[in-house]
Amino acid sequence: MAPKPVKGAPPPAEPEEEATEKFGEWLGKDGLPESAPRDKDSQLPNGEGVAVYPNGDRYTGRIENSERVGKGKYVWKAAEEGKHGGEYDGEYKSNKKEGKGKMVYPDTGTYDGQWTEGLREGQGTFKYPNGDWYKGMWLKGKKSARGTYFSYSGACWYMGLWTDGNFVEGDWKFKDGSCYKGNFAAGMPAPGEGSFVFPNGNTVKGTWVAKALEGEALAAAQEGGKPTSTVSWVGGEVSYADGA
């Protein structure tokens, strides 16, 4: 029996970006304050330049009405010397990531894809530092609709439907070419019917049966914040590829 699937860790939260009203410095493309473009009347930053914020963050790109717009690059100051603070290179609208862009997170994980209102939304690919990756649709910063997650340590793929960041239905594929088809909950097969399909084309249909934990096992699960029930596979009908 193959090991149960491990729920993919959610991507990290988006680092907070400074508001453009809090400029420490507004510089021109040449790095000089005197060449920085400004509105003739208000003298506020307006055009292509470099914003350096009091906290050390840095934005290179276009500012209109004191907001980041169009193509730009935002670099967060690292919390520690020699560390990576995060970096976004892409499109902006009304001070938020909007459209196409690539984000490199402080842990070196990356997201390359679509954004809406500062969150991952639409088609995009997230690559985790441990070698895992997810490619598919996003909604409000979470995996949603159809997508594929690859687990590097498990050498397996979760291909199908996602809801609120969780894999809920589809194929759990393994390196040897076999796969399990069914529904999922909390990172493991959900109670109910499903089927295993093997490389030779043979299929085994069966049912995952839920059983509540009891006694010490239940207490340990509750204390550790783990599921209070398990599921076990009950095999059933076997279908052979050659029709035998």
Side-chain angles (χ1 to χ4, degrees), residues 49-93:
V50 180
V52 183
Y53 300 93
N55 66 355
D57 292 357
R58 190 180 188 94
Y59 169 75
T60 303
R62 187 165 188 82
I63 298 290
E64 290 182 3
N65 299 318
S66 294
E67 293 182 334
R68 293 181 288 275
V69 297
K71 188 76 167 58
K73 183 176 182 180
Y74 193 106
V75 179
W76 284 262
K77 182 182 179 180
E80 300 178 25
E81 189 71 28
K83 299 289 185 179
H84 181 72
E87 178 180 304
Y88 172 76
D89 191 349
E91 297 172 323
Y92 275 94
K93 180 181 178 181

Side-chain angles (χ1 to χ4, degrees), residues 102-187:
K102 182 177 181 179
M103 178 75 196
V104 181
Y105 292 85
D107 66 358
T108 71
T110 64
Y111 172 78
D112 192 353
Q114 297 293 321
W115 300 80
T116 297
E117 287 285 313
L119 297 175
R120 298 177 292 269
E121 186 158 321
Q123 183 74 29
T125 300
F126 197 104
K127 296 181 179 180
Y128 294 80
N130 65 355
D132 291 6
W133 55 259
Y134 170 83
K135 183 177 182 178
M137 299 301 293
W138 298 78
L139 180 65
K140 296 182 179 179
K142 296 181 179 181
K143 307 176 193 74
S144 182
R146 189 161 295 277
T148 297
Y149 187 102
F150 171 70
S151 170
Y152 178 80
S153 61
C156 58
W157 295 258
Y158 307 107
M159 308 170 65
L161 298 178
W162 298 73
T163 298
D164 199 31
N166 298 305
F167 186 52
V168 294
E169 180 184 351
D171 296 352
W172 174 26
K173 291 195 171 185
F174 306 99
K175 192 175 181 179
D176 65 1
S178 61
C179 77
Y180 170 76
K181 297 175 178 286
N183 296 323
F184 295 79

